[in-house]
Amino acid sequence: MDLSREWLNDYTTVTVSDKEFCDAMTMSGSKVEGVTRTGDGISKVVAGRVTAMERHPDSDHMFICQVDAGGERELTIVTGAQNVSVGDMVPVALDGSTLPGGVTIRTAPLRGVMSEGMLCSLAELGLDTHDYPYAIENGIFIMQEPCQPGDDIIKVLGLGDSVVEFEITNNRPDCLSVIGLAREAAATFGTELHLHEPAVKGSGDDIKNYLSIQIDEPELCPRYTARMVKNIKIEPSPAWLRRRLRASGIRPINNIVDITNYVMQEYGQPMHAFDYSCVGGSKIIVRRAAPGETLTTLDGNDRDLTPNMLVIADAEKPIGVAGVMGGGNSEIVDDTKTIVFESANFNGTSIRKTAIALGMRTDASGKFEKGLDPEGTVPAVQRACELVEMLGAGDVIDGMIDVVASPYIQKTVKLQPERVNALLGTDISRDFMVSVLEKLDFTVDGDIIRVPSWRSDIEHYSDIAEEVARFYGYDTVESTMMRGKTAQGGWNEKQTFENRLNALCQAMGFNEILTYSFGSKTAWDRIRLPAGSPLRQALIIQNPLGEDRSVMRTTPMPSMLEVMSTNASRRNPAVRLYERAKVFHPLADSPLADEQMWLVLGEYGDGAGFFQLKGCVEAILKDMRTEAVTFEADSTDPSFHPGRCAHILAGGEAIGVMGQVHPAVCDSYDLPHESLYAQLNVAAMRAHQGPERTFQALPRFPAVTRDLALVCRDDIPVAALVDTITAAGAPYLESVKLFDVYTGAPIPVGSKSVAFALTLRAADQTLTEEHTAETMNAILKALAEVHGASIR
């Protein structure tokens, strides 16, 4: 909502600066987005009179003008305009002046003649012929405004008004008007509000001799008010009205259209004017559209109407879409002689649905859909008729048709100062509360508050508390401790866990992706799922976007591989991606799904490798405190390389899988054969999460290190060796680290050499050679018995 401060002063006089005005209005609940001034960018432009003209000696279309711009001497200005004559008053941009758009005018030679400024057109001043209908579009602006040479053009043209842009919330449609914001400003600054009661003289006759109105849908149209004007004179509006509409962001058109727009801005009540000669049967009917009805609206488009839409019709046809736009078949034209002013109240939900269905959101529909004042139709139509008489635009026919299909019932709320103070944590007096409410035109009768018709948002004592608080000052409400059981924000345990996963993946260089939760059955074949796999049992989407999005996914692998494939096709040499992806498994006894969250990792390119990815998985599980983690080789999973795949276990339970993607799967996605993939069940990770880490002091006693090189069969996993060493090395073994695996001469065929670095330490003493030897012998004995391993 754009508010002209000049217009505002018609209703309440606020003399503070723009900054003070904006700050105070924002603090009292009417948020200001910004402020501009009409004529911004114009400086050192004055009115000037052309005193002499002669043709330019070196140009067949230029003139050398002598211009009286109010100085001690006349200026010489060269112009190419053909509509300038001696005696014309024109805008003159002096040397050093600026124009909208950042244009600066300097004295400069034109075809050898020094031009000491520029004569301006409307466009160069940021205006057009809608602002000044008497002017021509292409040419110098020949002004008709009363002025003298040297007068500032800002004053001459009535510019310089401050226009404040407000962000009005949906619950305050009353503030989508000058009067509504004037009421807020008067309450904010403690000034007097001057509301105008429209006065219409009339010209005789009776509207009932011309028109009747019928409302067939009282729930969608509670009230419909109309007046008529005859002997219409279509002409431009006066400058003051055009100026105010322009400041409000509305383009002036003609006096009748401008009056309806002016009233909409002033009162917040949209209006429409019909050509009476086009109203068939001299009757207006507010009804639903009939099946198959169409209407060409004022924008020239044919609209297909449905029975869900409310229309304004005559006895024969629709002549407007209620609350949205009028029809072209009843448009005001140059030879219109009699018009009907419509001022109605419509159901906001109905108007919004209609506007969306027709794809034609308008200023009117934007106001109606928020729920307007049901008592606002009469003052608005009266104001329109008053302006008609004021502008001499026609003769107002006596009488008004005001059909009230659903009478308005005034709401009441009980004044409860104790509850208001308890809610706000304040100690505000009852008298202050009453004074605030009365400033806003509420009526307080004892403990009963009568809510004005334009405040549809007031329903509860908490709404009254908000009104009191915003004028008491949110910044003056003292901080107090929370009382009682107050809900506190923050992440729950599950969210904290998942956020930590995000942070870990990002810290290791993985980029997060987000994919659809649904996919295609063909993806199962691309990842080589067996025909009898339970993962082929999926929930079918009833209204899919397409075949490729027809089932809820049961595995996140295709989604990750698709994104990796897209990166590969765009020549991205290396990627590291992760996603927290949900999968959905059907439940036998429920229409719902078993939803599971998986952490999915995928990578290819430089640095990507099986053990590198395994290290990332181990780091994640270690940081998330997942206990008893082991890896078990698997050569049967058809989606992975048979020699480079491992199941991930925690406490003996499978919680995920990782490995190099099978070459055939890589080919189906056009991926490099060295692509890696891992997935971890997030719920299982949480289920095996160990206790919170606690502080442990640094060891007081030194460690003993020993290297151990073994020879064993090459089919024995290193992890099995580590488990045996760990079990046998208690209580002094602190850590085991693999640092070498070797095959080849002189190691026998079918065997391998594995080397570990062992760290031994006691918490209560320095280990002796006897302790170390005892521990090492126990480890060697266990390795020999369990795995047949011997020292190399």
Side-chain angles (χ1 to χ4, degrees), residues 23 160 184 188 198 253 282 419 439 441 499 514 606 610 648:
D23 290 346
E184 290 291 312
T188 299
I253 297 175
S282 300
R419 295 190 72 181
K439 284 180 186 177
D441 285 347
N499 289 343
L514 183 65
D606 294 340
F610 178 87
I648 307 165

Side-chain angles (χ1 to χ4, degrees), residues 57-77:
D58 293 331
S59 173
D60 59 357
H61 71 280
M62 286 188 172
F63 294 90
I64 302 172
C65 303
Q66 300 301 315
V67 181
D68 177 7
E72 296 181 357
R73 67 179 184 86
E74 293 183 341
L75 301 178
T76 299
I77 297 178

Side-chain angles (χ1 to χ4, degrees), residues 376-642:
T377 62
V378 171
V381 78
Q382 288 289 83
R383 176 60 166 160
C385 291
E386 180 184 50
L387 288 170
V388 166
E389 294 182 338
M390 186 186 301
L391 304 185
D395 300 323
V396 179
I397 296 174
D398 286 351
M400 174 194 304
I401 299 179
D402 183 25
V403 180
V404 181
S406 296
Y408 167 71
I409 300 174
Q410 188 176 36
K411 290 187 293 186
T412 60
V413 179
K414 189 175 181 181
L415 177 60
Q416 300 171 293
E418 297 81 9
R419 295 190 72 181
V420 170
N421 279 318
L423 183 63
L424 299 178
T426 56
D427 188 20
I428 302 172
S429 69
R430 182 185 187 281
D431 290 344
F432 180 85
M433 296 181 188
V434 172
S435 68
V436 167
L437 296 172
E438 289 178 344
K439 284 180 186 177
L440 296 170
D441 285 347
F442 289 75
T443 302
V444 182
D445 184 7
D447 288 338
I448 300 300
I449 303 168
R450 302 191 186 282
V451 181
S453 59
W454 57 84
R455 290 303 302 272
S456 58
D457 60 310
I458 303 296
E459 297 180 347
H460 191 255
Y461 87 91
S462 58
D463 299 320
I464 299 300
E466 181 182 358
E467 298 302 300
V468 171
R470 64 193 183 94
F471 287 102
Y472 178 74
Y474 292 118
D475 54 334
T476 62
V477 175
E478 295 183 3
S479 299
T480 57
M481 294 296 291
M482 293 181 180
R483 290 173 287 186
K485 294 181 179 180
T486 305
Q488 297 183 8
W491 302 113
N492 60 31
E493 183 183 348
K494 177 175 176 291
Q495 291 168 328
T496 302
F497 186 90
E498 293 177 357
N499 289 343
R500 181 62 184 166
L501 281 180
N502 276 344
L504 283 170
C505 293
Q506 291 164 11
M508 288 187 287
F510 288 87
N511 293 301
E512 185 176 14
I513 62 172
L514 183 65
T515 60
Y516 288 117
S517 295
F518 29 79
S520 168
K521 294 180 179 180
T522 59
W524 299 333
D525 297 327
R526 296 178 73 184
I527 63 171
R528 305 176 77 235
L529 273 185
S533 172
L535 295 180
R536 287 183 176 266
Q537 303 300 315
L539 293 168
I540 309 299
I541 299 174
Q542 292 184 353
N543 54 341
L545 298 175
E547 179 59 32
D548 58 339
R549 298 285 184 265
S550 60
V551 297
M552 301 302 294
R553 66 184 173 192
T554 56
T555 169
M557 189 176 197
S559 301
M560 173 60 74
L561 297 184
E562 281 181 11
V563 177
M564 293 170 65
S565 175
T566 300
N567 279 271
S569 68
R570 295 178 182 173
R571 302 182 183 277
N572 195 344
V575 297
R576 304 189 81 188
L577 307 174
Y578 84 95
E579 180 182 18
R580 288 186 297 111
K582 270 192 176 181
V583 297
F584 304 82
H585 299 288
L587 294 173
D589 55 349
S590 172
L592 302 178
D594 173 23
E595 300 183 21
Q596 300 176 6
M597 179 74 76
W598 291 80
L599 175 66
V600 188
L601 307 176
E603 64 174 330
Y604 69 78
D606 294 340
F610 178 87
F611 290 106
Q612 188 271 343
L613 182 61
K614 179 173 178 285
C616 292
V617 171
E618 287 177 322
I620 291 171
L621 293 172
K622 180 180 179 181
D623 196 280
M624 303 310 296
R625 310 195 311 279
T626 306
E627 294 186 319
V629 175
T630 57
F631 293 81
E632 187 177 281
D634 179 23
S635 60
T636 62
D637 193 318
S639 299
F640 291 92
H641 190 293

Side-chain angles (χ1 to χ4, degrees), residues 611 633 643 710-721 738 740-745 747-754 787-790:
F611 290 106
L710 304 171
V711 176
C712 64
R713 297 194 318 273
D714 62 0
D715 62 346
I716 298 176
V718 171
L721 298 174
L738 173 74
D740 183 55
V741 177
Y742 173 74
T743 58
I747 306 301
V749 176
S751 298
K752 63 182 176 182
S753 170
V754 185
H787 304 293
S790 60

